[in-house]
Amino acid sequence: MASGGARHGLAPLPAESQVEDPTLERSFRGHKDAVTSVCFNHNMKQLVSGSLDNCVMVWNFKPQLRAFRFAGHKAGVYSVAFSPVHALIASGSKDRTVRLWQPTVEGKSTVLKAHTGTVRCVAFSTDGRMLATCADDKTVKVWSVATQKFAFTLSGHQNWVRCCHISPDGRLAVSGGDDRTVRIWDLNSKRVVRVFEDQGGLINTVAFHPDGTCIASGSTDTSLKLWDLRSNVLLQHYRAHTGPVTHLSFHPTGSFLLSSSLDTTLKVWDLREGQLLYTLHGHEGATNGTAFSPAGDYFASCGADEQVMVWKTNFDRYLEDYTAAGIQKVPRGSEPLISDSAGSVAPTAPAPVAGAGGLAPSRVAPFPSPAHIRAQPPAAIAATEGSVPVATQPSGVRRVAGGAGRTVPATAPSPPPPQAAAAAAAAAAAALEEYEVEVPPPLNLADLPESLAATLQHMVGQLDVLTQTIALLDERLTRNEDYAQRLDDKLSTLLQQQQPQQPGSNNPQVVMHQQQPLYGGGRFVVAKLGTGAVGHDTDCNESAGVMYDTVEQYSDQL
């Protein structure tokens, strides 16, 4: 536990409310490819995850229940969400469909089809009545959960839409994508009411603050940004990671932000202090998703190592004495929510769970004004991280506080007492070995020679330019494909409208004789067949009509 000190003129926190370090509680294994998304059930009895192995898995915390594997998507699953009200799971996939699952052993699902591109994100409204989805077709679509029918489309993005979220009051929605914009939508008028431009990178993740007054976004330029919806100003800007930010989640109180990144780390940000609080090393590869439990006492993460990890928050306990608006504790039974036994959990052996009691989030105070918000400079963060050795434990936790950091290893859950059975001790020891995998820390340029650091920085800059160039080329290719599709439809309609002419008729009939594939760069002949040419369209040549080198020439002629 870190020692408590004065916080900007405030008295030291009481000993019983000191900030405690997060601890790793469980590690779920069962997916056969990278896990892309994770979410808690509102009753805290289940955890759902989606993966590139085309499956959705539901992990039951009760030891008597096996994990459920839902197979139905025909391609990788990019996003999952649990309804805050109903027993319903939503998933979005590369197969362009959205599925609504019942979290039972039968795994019944309803398929929702409206998108024409990969579905990147799904998000329920707080009341569970609406479902928002976004996809590579550049749209955000809203569905009625009660009828499980499509409601309306929000159009305005100029490129792929990668993330979306609905405000706590259900009046607004936010989305971000490859056009480098964050758009705020009015769900009543179905129009954009605000646009925040991010010139730094593509937007990978967005979320509303629990009180609805601001939004957070994470992008490929490794940064996190918080925007105030009332004053339209940038509240906070963090150079958060050394790789693209993949996901972010607000703590239910709104005082903390959890982010994941391709740099393999999870980071916890103290939004009231405006600084990094913890860096967690637990996954062996990129971290793809994060989620806080409804009460904020647990959070989950997932990554490219095919694992889902559940952590106990701990650091939010001091909020009762430090903030006016915190979390209301509801008495819980003596049995913990998640078992203290160590070890990874196979798909058939989820962790146990206690009753429905837990921490219930209360109404939070408005977000601090910009005058009280400050972002830690990138140099300060680099200096702080460079001065702290990285723990060798795979789930090492690094805490940064007061400008001086210290390493706090997140050890595996405590082993059983000495009087426990030998079998239980052996099982705990075997499970503990699952965590003893050394994860290399992200590269710190401060420890390298200046020439090498400058070279690496230049390479990173060139890669960023290359990434932006590829994004622009992809956007142009998408536009060309759309144009070609529209033109193809027009030509098909035109040919269908030309009725076969009777022999002796003087009205010419337009026939296209394609010499090579239409979009393969070949030439084609548009022949005007009169009375002497009817019935000879298969033998038409350049002398029988007009020769065009491209479809565009024929389109311009029309």
Side-chain angles (χ1 to χ4, degrees):
M1 182 184 301
S3 58
R7 290 173 170 257
H8 302 280
L10 299 178
L13 298 174
E16 61 274 11
S17 62
Q18 298 286 335
V19 180
E20 295 185 20
D21 302 321
T23 56
L24 180 61
E25 294 288 317
R26 280 288 183 177
S27 177
F28 295 92
R29 300 173 184 265
H31 282 293
K32 301 176 182 178
D33 205 336
V35 186
T36 57
S37 181
V38 65
C39 186
F40 284 94
N41 191 341
H42 61 277
N43 61 15
M44 285 305 295
K45 294 182 180 180
Q46 293 173 319
L47 184 71
V48 62
S49 59
S51 169
L52 296 182
D53 62 5
N54 306 355
C55 292
V56 174
M57 292 199 69
V58 178
W59 311 93
N60 294 287
F61 290 139
K62 287 187 177 180
Q64 300 88 348
L65 298 178
R66 301 165 62 93
F68 305 147
R69 182 188 299 272
F70 296 157
H73 285 292
K74 299 178 181 178
V77 178
Y78 281 98
S79 179
V80 293
F82 244 119
S83 170
V85 179
H86 309 100
L88 203 61
I89 299 172
S91 62
S93 169
K94 189 178 179 180
D95 63 7
R96 305 180 181 182
T97 67
V98 176
R99 284 181 178 260
L100 297 179
W101 308 83
Q102 297 178 8
T104 60
V105 66
E106 294 85 1
K108 297 180 179 179
S109 66
T110 302
V111 181
L112 307 180
K113 295 182 178 180
H115 285 291
T116 58
T118 299
V119 181
R120 297 284 178 177
C121 183
V122 295
F124 283 99
S125 61
T126 305
D127 58 10
R129 296 181 178 180
M130 293 183 293
L131 174 69
T133 62
C134 62
D136 289 355
D137 58 9
K138 310 174 188 176
T139 66
V140 178
K141 297 186 183 296
V142 179
W143 310 75
S144 170
V145 176
T147 61
Q148 298 186 356
K149 299 294 184 181
F150 168 75
F152 54 86
T153 298
L154 303 174
S155 300
H157 281 282
Q158 302 301 314
N159 209 328
W160 294 355
V161 187
R162 293 188 177 270
C163 48
C164 60
H165 196 227
I166 299 178
S167 64
D169 59 10
R171 296 187 300 108
L172 302 175
V174 60
S175 62
D178 287 4
D179 59 359
R180 303 172 187 265
T181 64
V182 176
R183 296 175 182 264
I184 309 299
W185 308 84
D186 186 326
L187 296 182
N188 292 325
S189 64
K190 306 175 183 59
R191 295 184 178 181
V192 176
V193 295
R194 206 156 299 152
V195 177
F196 298 108
E197 295 186 358
D198 187 347
Q199 301 297 331
L202 314 180
I203 309 299
N204 278 338
T205 176
V206 292
F208 273 97
H209 188 272
D211 68 3
T213 60
C214 73
I215 58 169
S217 66
S219 63
T220 57
D221 67 352
T222 75
S223 69
L224 290 172
K225 293 182 179 180
L226 276 75
W227 308 85
D228 193 313
L229 298 181
R230 299 163 296 186
S231 58
N232 298 335
V233 299
L234 180 64
L235 292 177
Q236 291 179 328
H237 181 199
Y238 300 99
R239 290 295 179 184
H241 291 270
T242 58
V245 179
T246 56
H247 198 263
L248 59 83
S249 299
F250 278 104
H251 188 273
T253 63
S255 298
F256 303 102
L257 186 68
L258 175 65
S259 62
S260 61
S261 169
L262 295 184
D263 64 7
T264 77
T265 66
L266 302 169
K267 293 197 177 184
V268 180
W269 305 87
D270 188 338
L271 299 182
R272 292 182 180 271
E273 292 292 324
Q275 66 180 8
L276 177 66
L277 190 61
Y278 290 102
T279 296
L280 295 88
H281 297 270
H283 289 276
E284 300 177 27
T287 51
N288 297 327
T290 61
F292 274 104
S293 64
D297 48 353
Y298 290 90
F299 63 91
S301 62
C302 62
D305 56 1
E306 305 176 7
Q307 291 190 78
V308 176
M309 295 185 176
V310 179
W311 309 72
K312 191 169 179 60
T313 305
N314 294 331
F315 55 77
D316 63 343
R317 294 181 179 178
Y318 79 92
L319 289 176
E320 293 181 352
D321 299 298
Y322 180 57
T323 62
I327 48 180
Q328 300 173 349
K329 285 193 174 181
V330 178
R332 190 194 297 276
S334 58
E335 183 182 1
L337 178 65
I338 297 181
S339 172
D340 291 334
S341 60
S344 63
V345 179
T348 58
V353 65
L359 295 181
S362 63
R363 182 179 63 84
V364 297
F367 196 80
S369 61
H372 298 286
I373 299 174
R374 63 194 183 286
Q376 189 174 359
I381 295 178
T384 303
E385 295 188 357
S387 62
V388 182
V390 179
T392 57
Q393 288 83 349
S395 55
V397 180
R398 181 184 303 165
R399 182 175 173 216
V400 180
R406 70 183 184 89
T407 301
V408 182
T411 58
S414 58
Q419 63 271 20
L432 185 59
E433 294 178 357
E434 295 285 347
Y435 294 104
E436 296 180 355
V437 179
E438 189 168 338
V439 179
L443 182 63
N444 189 355
L445 298 180
D447 298 335
L448 300 177
E450 291 186 4
S451 58
L452 180 58
T455 302
L456 292 176
Q457 290 281 18
H458 178 72
M459 293 174 62
V460 171
Q462 294 297 319
L463 288 175
D464 184 60
V465 172
L466 181 61
T467 302
Q468 297 178 17
T469 303
I470 292 176
L472 291 175
L473 292 176
D474 182 75
E475 180 180 356
R476 293 179 180 177
L477 179 62
T478 302
R479 292 179 179 177
N480 290 337
E481 290 176 350
D482 294 343
Y483 172 78
Q485 183 62 40
R486 292 195 301 269
L487 184 58
D488 194 16
D489 294 341
K490 291 181 179 178
L491 291 176
S492 299
T493 303
L494 180 61
L495 294 178
Q496 291 176 1
Q497 291 176 351
Q498 299 293 332
Q499 298 298 330
Q501 300 297 318
Q502 298 297 329
S505 175
N506 294 326
N507 295 326
Q509 179 185 358
V510 177
V511 177
M512 292 176 53
H513 177 67
Q514 188 175 336
Q515 296 181 334
Q516 294 184 17
L518 185 60
Y519 300 111
R523 310 174 69 190
F524 62 92
V525 178
V526 177
K528 296 183 179 180
L529 303 181
T531 57
V534 172
H536 299 280
D537 56 315
T538 57
D539 299 324
C540 64
N541 50 39
E542 296 184 13
S543 62
V546 182
M547 176 71 69
Y548 294 94
D549 291 327
T550 64
V551 177
E552 286 78 2
Q553 293 181 2
Y554 180 60
S555 175
D556 294 340
Q557 182 67 26
L558 292 178

